[in-house]
Amino acid sequence: MQNFFKTSLSCAAIICVSLFSSLSAQAEVSKPQAVSEIDIHQYVGQWYEIAHLPMYFQRNCASNTTANYTLNSDKTLGVLNSCRTKTGETISSQGVAYPQNVGMSQLKVSFLPAGLRWIPFTKGDYWILRVDPEYKVALVGGPSHKYLWILSRSPQIDEATYQSYLQTARQYGYDVTKLVRTAHPE
């Protein structure tokens, strides 16, 4: 009988430790959150895509993917995304980003023609999840985990910086094993 209680107590302790460990692991992953605010004047300009989650809209992009942002007079952002296809052709898509918060870190982006941008549910989330103080590297995604980009002001970033941004994405629950690194041949 005494062995039964010792065994039961040991099992209960193991179960408690396992439960605590799994709750701790879950606590490390949080929902994506945009930074509270950005300096839009530092954010505008050209960014190079370093990596992205595969998506339909970028299916023809093979290399040299960039995004160029401009501040419009109505406080929206002009967006010009460009890339090179496998055949070497440069393709681009022009859109508008609409601020969703005062800090301009949560945007909704539409690439529809201007006359169709009023249609509901046609804008994608563009949340700035992390940006370094000098606005040289940024992590962009949204609440759905469908989209994720690592952007840089230069075509290459060092591995330590890349790994640091991957870690932030992991903490927000993104599956970084699916990230595709973007080639920027010289």
Side-chain angles (χ1 to χ4, degrees), residues 125-144:
D125 289 304
Y126 183 102
W127 288 10
I128 301 162
L129 306 173
R130 179 179 171 191
V131 63
D132 76 297
E134 296 177 356
Y135 287 75
K136 291 184 177 181
V137 181
L139 181 69
V140 176
S144 70

Side-chain angles (χ1 to χ4, degrees), residues 50-62:
I50 301 301
H52 70 278
L53 284 178
M55 71 185 85
Y56 179 78
F57 302 109
Q58 287 188 267
R59 68 191 177 283
N60 296 320
C61 292

Side-chain angles (χ1 to χ4, degrees), residues 140-157:
V140 176
S144 70
H145 294 101
K146 283 194 258 182
Y147 308 113
L148 184 68
W149 296 272
I150 297 175
L151 304 175
S152 173
R153 294 295 188 174
S154 61
Q156 310 296 328
I157 61 174

